[in-house]
């Protein structure tokens, strides 16, 4: 099993920045990659960004590309999401996730086996 704990959420004004962290524990060596998803009130959970541990390659949703950066620190078993130029529409609960299989569908929720509890991000206008 892998346990994921997010932190770093909060309230920020539009145009500001936040860095989310996701600390992993347990059988972290069994995972192939991590991702960030978000869910706004009344909406479905959606993909934000993903990273592969072996290659470091990152994939972004159109809404995140150019503003958000996903990265990982293997020594700390932590994945980060740096969010810049935040907009009110970025307001959501952000979840980190880890997958235990190789897949090209890194944007797909079913590809992930482990999930954190979520951290709230609120962007005021």
């Amino acid at each position: 099993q892998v346990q994921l704990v997010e932190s770093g959420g909060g309230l920020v004004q539009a145009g500001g920045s936040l860095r989310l962290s996701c600390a992993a524990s347990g059988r972290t060596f069994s995972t192939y990659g991590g991702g960030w998803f978000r869910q706004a009130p009344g909406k479905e959970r959606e993909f934000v960004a993903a990273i592969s541990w072996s290659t470091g390659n990152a994939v972004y949703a159109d809404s995140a590309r150019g503003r958000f950066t996903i990265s990982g620190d293997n020594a700390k078993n932590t994945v980060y999401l740096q969010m810049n130029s935040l907009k009110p529409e970025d307001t959501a609960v952000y979840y980190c996730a880890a997958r235990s299989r190789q897949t090209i569908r890194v944007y797909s929720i079913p590809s992930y086996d482990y999930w954190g509890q979520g951290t709230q991000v609120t962007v005021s206008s």
Side-chain angles (χ1 to χ4, degrees):
Q1 288 291 328
V2 175
Q3 294 78 41
L4 304 173
V5 179
E6 303 100 332
S7 61
L11 173 64
V12 64
Q13 289 188 334
S17 299
L18 282 175
R19 189 176 80 155
L20 304 183
S21 300
C22 176
S25 61
R27 297 172 61 87
T28 56
F29 57 85
S30 67
T31 59
Y32 283 87
W36 287 95
F37 292 75
R38 67 185 183 186
Q39 187 167 17
K43 295 187 177 181
E44 294 185 351
R45 191 170 299 190
E46 64 177 10
F47 170 73
V48 177
I51 187 167
S52 170
W53 302 144
S54 60
T55 64
N57 288 341
V59 176
Y60 297 94
D62 289 344
S63 59
R65 191 174 296 113
R67 298 188 300 127
F68 295 1
T69 302
I70 187 172
S71 61
D73 185 330
N74 289 334
K76 296 182 179 180
N77 286 329
T78 301
V79 61
Y80 304 98
L81 185 68
Q82 176 66 44
M83 304 187 295
N84 299 328
S85 301
L86 283 162
K87 307 174 182 179
E89 50 263 45
D90 293 319
T91 295
V93 176
Y94 283 70
Y95 298 90
C96 73
R99 53 185 174 85
S100 58
R101 75 204 79 173
Q102 291 186 356
T103 178
I104 61 174
R105 298 173 60 88
V106 295
Y107 51 85
S108 177
I109 291 173
S111 294
Y112 293 84
D113 306 284
Y114 308 103
W115 293 84
Q117 82 288 351
T119 185
Q120 177 71 46
V121 171
T122 303
V123 184
S124 63
S125 57

